Amino acid sequence: MTAPFAARATVSRLSTWSGIVLFFALAIVGLFYVKWSPYYAKAFVAAQDHMIGASIVSGKLAASPGVSLQAGFAYSIAYLKAIWQALLLGLVLGAGIEALLPRVRLSQFFAGSKGPLRATAFAVPSMMCTCCCAPIAVGLIESGAATSSALVYWLANPVLNPAALVFIGFVLGWQWAALRLVVGVALVFVVGDLAARFVSPEWRPPGAPMRPDNAGKPFLLVWGRSFLRLTVRLIPEYVVLVFALGMVRAWLFPAMTPDIGHAIWLTTALAAAGTLFVIPTAGEVPIIQVLQQFGLGEAGAAALLVTLPAVSLPSLAMLGRALPIRAVLVLGFGTFVFGLVAAAAATALGFS
């Protein structure tokens, strides 16, 4: 190898490692500010008060506000106020995957049988809600990571969130945290792998831009373009769906009374509602706590415990930008089924 070629190879390796270091430094700083530090403080609140706030669905009441535009605006404001920093971080990191991480090494790292396990290892400390980590999952898929690994990362973020498990333990009881962990692990790997089987290696979403050749281009320019592209593709529809769900949440969560709290139909209805509805990280904890105070039974609580954080209609729509519709349907229906599994387990084990 001649000296000029050797020098260029050395510069290329340094550039690659510099990009990787910069990406992880940004991720660590961002997660510390947005997730780790606030959740550390909230854990002490949960341990002391056995609650982490009012339900974002109904406050401290048994029923949600009636269907109206005002209900949609109020929910959108409350929800976006809770998640905007994490969503911004998700977009920044999703764009950073394209701008800073080498495509070939990324594909190799998340390939094979170890890929989903590695994805889980990165997901657990991320602790993002299903919508905020969707841009990262889209970035992974479009940058060549194995679909199964990207989906496991996406599902494990909210379902196996260690902070949420701690909140569940202190607020609802540690048996509920154990149920969430056991059923959640099964959901993450089974549903993630099954959905990935519906994505062929040749799949490319209609209208998605080809990954450009970024060699030699300023990384800030590449990063900015990728950030803008993700934002334009994912956010407008997401905001509309959040508003719509907030507006009709009274239809998804009926007024709770002891008479209907243990009805079989309610469990199925809540499993479906939890699959569709969108909440901030750990928002399922106060929702379940408030509904239990008004008579919600163990089956319905278990269904919400699993389905509310795992997916939502807005997050499925975001993933639909990078996946075929059949894979998206598998993600949604699979989550619904595991919600029913959790409900059956809670009933059989005599949870209260």
Side-chain angles (χ1 to χ4, degrees), residues 57-58 61-65 67 248-263 265-274 287 290-292 294-296 300 304:
V57 170
S58 61
L61 304 176
S64 305
V67 176
V248 303
R249 64 188 186 274
W251 292 347
L252 298 174
F253 300 93
M256 188 56 54
T257 67
D259 293 334
I260 69 170
H262 292 78
W265 69 265
L266 181 67
T267 300
T268 304
L270 289 180
I287 291 173
V290 169
L291 291 177
Q292 283 182 326
F294 290 97
L296 178 64
L304 290 177

Side-chain angles (χ1 to χ4, degrees), residues 202-265:
E202 298 79 21
W203 161 256
R204 184 172 175 270
M210 293 293 292
R211 182 183 172 97
D213 181 7
N214 296 318
K217 296 182 180 179
F219 80 90
L220 285 178
L221 177 62
V222 177
W223 204 338
R225 286 178 176 175
S226 181
F227 178 87
L228 181 62
R229 185 166 61 246
L230 276 175
T231 302
V232 171
R233 288 175 62 203
L234 303 182
I235 299 304
E237 186 178 27
Y238 164 70
V239 172
V240 171
L241 289 173
V242 169
F243 173 83
L245 288 169
M247 183 175 66
V248 303
R249 64 188 186 274
W251 292 347
L252 298 174
F253 300 93
M256 188 56 54
T257 67
D259 293 334
I260 69 170
H262 292 78
I264 295 177
W265 69 265

Side-chain angles (χ1 to χ4, degrees), residues 9-25 99-102 105 109:
T10 300
V11 170
S12 178
R13 285 194 294 270
L14 288 175
S15 177
T16 296
W17 281 108
S18 296
I20 293 173
V21 170
L22 178 58
F23 178 86
F24 280 100
L100 299 174
L101 300 184
R105 292 189 180 183
F109 186 80

Side-chain angles (χ1 to χ4, degrees), residues 38-40 42-43 46 52 162-172 282 285:
Y39 290 168
Y40 178 78
K42 185 176 276 190
I52 58 172
L165 290 172
V166 170
F167 301 155
I168 292 168
F170 282 129
V171 176
L172 303 178
V285 179

